[in-house]
Amino acid sequence: MRFGEYLYAKAVTLCFLGIGTLFLDIFLAFAEVPFAFLFVLNAAAGVLVVLWLVADFLIENSRLQKLERVMNELPEKYLLGEVIPKPVQPVEYRYYEIMKTVSQAAIEVAEQATREKEDYCDYVECWIHEMRTPLTACSLILDRAKGVVECKEDLDKAEEVSQKLKQELKRAENLTESILYYARIRRAGNETQIRQVRAAELIREALWSQMELLTAAGICAEVDGDFDMYTDGRTVCFILKQLLINCAKYCPGCQICICAGNGKITVEDNGIGIPSHELRRVTQRGYTGSNGKRLGGSTGMGLYIVKELCSRMDIGLEIASEEGSYTRVVLNFEGEEESGA
């Protein structure tokens, strides 16, 4: 608060003090009080008023600065009414009660919103876990169906249908897993389980889980390197799956090179690449880009979820690409966040 703002707030009080002093001077002048005495009296009164203004300004400014520090340290600003000191003056105490009432109402609304959000996340997770059961059952039924086919021609047709159905089931499973992680990043809590894992194991697990899609897309993968790290293995594996799914979707027939070393996992393909003007937007929620619009079937959520998970786990994410040449995604587990290039 500036001193000018403080004086503006005290304008009414100062006006009444000035008017009172003027009437007092007129009264004393009619009473034939010496001019020298009036001058000394007014000067003393002026000095006292100035000292009072300065002292009161310093006190009020100190209180405001303390209140601002408390507010800035609060993670949720609506909690300010619960932590501000209780005033002594009656008028300020009334303002304090009003602010506390508003703060309590805001807390109730926030808690209700949090409960509704948690209920939504619980429902989504429950639905996904239930959805996985019939997907797994369908896959098992297809495997058993191949054993009851008698002639070779029927067997070949059944095998072809089985592979196509498995691909679709894998896509459905990937979508449900994406919804699961999207629900988790909306939660207020942290559900990561940090443990020591090997990068090569996570890469192999991700490749194996997406083998049907990669094979159908004619993609071959090359893996090199390894290192130990402390992280949530399930989440990192999911991130790698999303990158492989993007390769299968946008770069059929390409070659993928996955390198692990120096605390980084690099996934690079020699596919269609990303236009330079779209590169910084590919991690935005719902952004599909020209490739997604051209090929269709894109939700624009994959890289957004990857970015949010990396941010939560302090994993640096760097995406580099050249249209018609390559796309490279680097996961940096050294805790240094990198920007897209």
Side-chain angles (χ1 to χ4, degrees):
M1 181 176 62
R2 294 190 295 269
F3 189 71
E5 296 174 342
Y6 172 78
L7 289 179
Y8 181 80
K10 296 291 184 180
V12 176
T13 302
L14 293 176
C15 286
F16 275 100
L17 284 175
I19 294 172
T21 303
L22 179 61
F23 276 108
L24 179 61
D25 288 341
I26 294 173
F27 175 79
L28 293 177
F30 276 109
E32 298 182 352
V33 175
F35 177 79
F37 179 80
L38 289 177
F39 177 81
V40 172
L41 182 63
N42 287 330
V47 170
L48 289 175
V49 169
V50 170
L51 291 176
W52 165 68
L53 289 173
V54 172
D56 191 60
F57 167 76
L58 293 176
I59 294 173
E60 293 296 328
N61 192 48
S62 176
R63 291 176 59 192
L64 284 176
Q65 289 180 351
K66 182 179 179 181
L67 190 60
E68 288 175 353
R69 284 196 300 270
V70 172
M71 181 183 66
N72 292 331
E73 292 173 358
L74 284 175
E76 307 294 345
K77 306 305 180 187
Y78 57 80
L79 296 174
L80 181 62
E82 301 296 311
V83 298
I84 58 175
K86 187 180 297 185
V88 178
Q89 299 180 10
V91 176
E92 290 186 357
Y93 187 80
R94 182 56 182 159
Y95 281 121
Y96 166 81
E97 289 183 333
I98 294 173
M99 179 176 287
K100 196 171 183 66
T101 302
V102 173
S103 179
Q104 290 174 349
I107 291 173
E108 292 176 0
V109 172
E111 289 178 347
Q112 178 65 23
T114 301
R115 286 193 296 269
E116 292 177 356
K117 178 180 176 181
E118 294 291 335
D119 291 340
Y120 162 78
C121 293
D122 290 338
Y123 169 76
V124 171
E125 287 194 30
C126 180
W127 179 85
I128 290 169
H129 288 303
E130 291 294 329
M131 186 68 177
R132 281 179 169 176
T133 301
L135 290 176
T136 304
C138 288
S139 181
L140 293 174
I141 291 171
L142 287 171
D143 289 335
R144 293 180 60 186
K146 291 190 295 183
V148 299
V149 180
E150 296 181 355
C151 66
K152 186 177 184 303
E153 183 179 353
D154 291 340
L155 180 61
D156 292 339
K157 291 181 179 179
E159 182 70 23
E160 182 181 356
V161 172
S162 174
Q163 290 300 322
K164 290 182 178 180
L165 286 174
K166 278 193 172 185
Q167 293 171 22
E168 295 304 319
L169 287 172
K170 175 54 67 175
R171 290 190 179 96
E173 182 181 344
N174 290 334
L175 286 173
T176 56
E177 192 173 21
S178 297
I179 297 173
L180 175 63
Y181 276 89
Y182 177 64
R184 286 178 178 173
I185 63 176
R186 288 167 57 95
R187 283 188 179 275
N190 192 346
E191 299 182 359
T192 57
Q193 298 179 0
I194 305 299
R195 58 185 178 87
Q196 185 177 13
V197 294
R198 298 187 66 84
E201 294 179 359
L202 299 179
I203 294 171
R204 283 195 295 268
E205 182 180 349
L207 283 170
W208 180 257
S209 70
Q210 303 303 315
M211 190 60 66
E212 290 93 348
L213 294 182
L214 296 176
T215 302
I219 294 176
C220 60
E222 179 182 346
V223 180
D224 183 36
D226 191 14
F227 64 92
D228 291 333
M229 56 183 171
Y230 285 90
T231 187
D232 185 352
R234 291 186 307 169
T235 302
V236 174
C237 186
F238 170 79
I239 292 173
L240 293 173
K241 289 179 186 178
Q242 289 299 306
L243 301 180
L244 295 174
I245 291 169
N246 281 355
C247 291
K249 183 185 300 182
Y250 298 113
C251 311
C254 74
Q255 183 175 0
I256 302 175
C257 180
I258 307 177
C259 299
N262 298 323
K264 298 180 180 180
I265 296 178
T266 303
V267 181
E268 182 172 350
D269 65 66
N270 59 351
I272 59 177
I274 303 171
S276 58
H277 64 278
E278 297 180 358
L279 189 56
R280 294 189 178 276
R281 300 181 61 191
V282 293
T283 56
Q284 294 179 3
R285 183 172 62 178
Y287 183 75
T288 57
S290 57
N291 292 332
K293 294 175 182 176
R294 178 170 55 85
L295 298 175
S298 176
T299 63
M301 296 297 292
L303 287 179
Y304 165 75
I305 297 175
V306 167
K307 181 197 70 172
E308 292 296 319
L309 291 174
C310 287
S311 177
R312 280 198 167 203
M313 298 176 60
D314 293 327
I315 300 174
L317 176 65
E318 179 185 0
I319 303 176
S321 183
E322 182 179 337
E323 189 173 8
S325 180
Y326 73 92
T327 298
R328 182 191 308 118
V329 180
V330 180
L331 303 176
N332 185 358
F333 295 89
E334 298 297 328
E336 298 179 0
E337 186 174 353
E338 303 177 15
S339 58

